[in-house]
Amino acid sequence: MPSEFDLIRRHFTRPARHADLSVGDDAALLRIAPDMQLVVTTDTLAAGTHFFYDVLPHDLGWKTLAVNLSDLAAMGATPRWATLALTLPAVDESWVAAFAKGFFDCAGRYGVELVGGDTTRGPLSMTVTLFGEVPEGQAITRAGGLPGDDLWISGCPGLAALGLMSLQNRIRLTDDSRALAALHRPIPRVEAGEALRGIANAMLDVSDGLAGDIAHLCECSKLGARLDLEALPLAPLIAAGVDKPLARQVLLAGGDDYELLFSALPEARDILDVLGRKFNLSFTRIGQLTEEAGAILLVEGPETSPRPLDVRGYDHFASPD
Ligand code: ADP
Ligand code: MG
């Protein structure tokens, strides 16, 4: 059985070009440019809570980093360095090798360097702390929304929830490929998040379902919102093989999707079209922010009057955190 030291040396030591000191000492030494702010986030994935024990280790390695990248993307930040705290029940070296490969595939794709971590024995879980940079004063918080802002969503939230329901045999999809990919290998919207600096007024990543996350944005911005039910991007969900009510349900209340929810001035519509094409990512305009703090209304069509969005009514698919 390899020692912890061998395991780290073999699987988690890669040259870090943008750190003064990396894996192998008691701590890493990092340097950020004087006009930049350091942006820091942490997320844990625990077996049995956030993933099944039989998940492919390569996918898990990818996702462990990707969920943290999504949080940095939602700040408009550029990811730089990560630390990884890994708790393993036993050392299965081929499992660790595949996990590390998935982690470094994701790290390489988004320019992240692993600069340290911890390896211990215990129930399977992994915690990443991710460090990024943003030009001073330009981070996009949840609090910057303005009344009259359009509300936008990237991609297609709800696919990961469909993937999970399909794995649990709760539904049968005609095509589960996109849903399972969304669940196992989420694509963090890093480049889009950076490009939204100076465009998005408020932003967060949707990880607990759109309804709850709109409420978070409104609460932090001290505003209300009108959500246009007919504008929701349901097509990819319906293409996977579910009906419209279930598609709406998973979009509003699914979890584990890591898309960007943001608000922007109506003047930004043209530039958002251009950015969507540039990143091959759909940005869908799903409503507006309004003056009335806390009032989140669902607009079903010109004939019916808006009604309050029952956020908790859409809560029972919520993923654990
Ligand atoms: P210490 O006992 O001084 O905390 P460790 O034995 O925990 O040292 O770690 C030795 C070195 O290996 C440190 O630089 C640490 O950051 C790094 N390290 C430990 N586990 C991991 C891991 N899973 N991924 C990356 N680096 C790790
Ligand atoms: Mg130490």
Side-chain angles (χ1 to χ4, degrees):
M1 180 123 70
S3 69
E4 176 196 327
F5 179 79
D6 286 336
L7 209 65
I8 297 165
R9 188 174 45 77
R10 257 185 257 159
H11 300 292
F12 295 105
T13 308
R14 305 259 175 112
R17 291 182 187 82
H18 299 101
D20 292 340
L21 192 60
S22 183
V23 172
D25 216 303
D26 291 313
L29 290 174
L30 312 174
R31 196 184 292 251
I32 72 163
D35 49 353
M36 303 294 267
Q37 279 175 297
L38 186 63
V39 187
V40 184
T41 185
T42 296
D43 257 319
T44 293
L45 297 185
T49 306
H50 300 96
F51 60 90
F52 299 124
Y53 286 88
D54 61 354
V55 68
L56 293 176
H58 186 277
D59 285 344
L60 190 58
W62 173 282
K63 186 167 176 175
T64 299
L65 183 56
V67 300
N68 281 276
L69 284 164
S70 178
D71 280 316
L72 276 200
M75 301 299 290
T78 303
R80 297 281 186 227
W81 306 282
T83 61
L84 169 66
L86 199 52
T87 306
L88 301 168
V91 176
D92 171 346
E93 194 155 3
S94 67
W95 191 98
V96 172
F99 175 88
K101 171 90 171 50
F103 185 94
F104 281 111
D105 281 352
C106 188
R109 165 69 183 78
Y110 296 101
V112 173
E113 296 186 333
L114 183 66
V115 296
D118 195 24
T119 307
T120 51
R121 201 162 289 235
L124 184 61
S125 87
M126 39 281 303
T127 299
V128 165
T129 300
L130 185 61
F131 303 83
E133 292 178 301
V134 70
E136 199 162 342
Q138 290 187 35
I140 308 166
T141 70
R142 299 177 175 196
L146 298 173
D149 271 3
D150 291 326
L151 262 185
W152 295 84
I153 183 78
S154 71
C156 184
L159 276 171
L162 287 188
L164 179 62
M165 291 170 80
S166 167
L167 273 190
Q168 294 171 326
N169 290 317
R170 289 159 65 197
I171 52 170
R172 192 178 295 269
L173 299 174
T174 47
D175 176 5
D176 64 3
S177 54
R178 283 191 69 188
L180 291 177
L183 179 66
H184 291 312
R185 294 178 65 87
I187 305 294
R189 305 304 186 187
V190 174
E191 292 93 350
E194 291 179 84
L196 287 168
R197 290 203 299 259
I199 298 172
N201 289 328
M203 183 151 71
L204 74 169
D205 68 323
V206 177
S207 46
D208 301 329
L210 187 58
D213 286 317
I214 289 176
H216 291 144
L217 191 151
C218 285
E219 195 182 333
C220 293
S221 291
K222 301 190 171 59
L223 294 173
R226 289 163 76 98
L227 182 63
D228 180 359
L229 200 61
E230 289 305 318
L232 298 178
L234 301 180
L237 302 170
I238 288 170
V242 296
D243 60 15
K244 213 166 165 181
L246 181 56
R248 277 184 182 152
Q249 182 79 20
V250 292
L251 189 146
L252 288 167
D256 239 7
D257 275 296
Y258 312 103
E259 294 294 350
L260 297 175
L261 169 69
F262 59 95
S263 83
L265 296 178
E267 289 81 344
R269 289 176 193 176
D270 289 346
I271 180 84
L272 285 165
D273 264 2
V274 173
L275 286 182
R277 264 179 273 125
K278 178 173 173 192
F279 297 119
N280 194 22
L281 177 62
S282 61
F283 289 130
T284 309
R285 188 153 49 87
I286 56 168
Q288 304 89 39
L289 293 181
T290 59
E291 296 269 8
E292 200 188 338
I296 301 171
L297 302 178
L298 202 56
V299 182
E300 289 192 57
E303 259 85 83
T304 48
S305 47
R307 60 184 166 88
L309 171 63
D310 175 10
V311 174
R312 276 188 309 166
Y314 284 107
D315 223 17
H316 55 272
F317 284 98
S319 64
D321 270 313

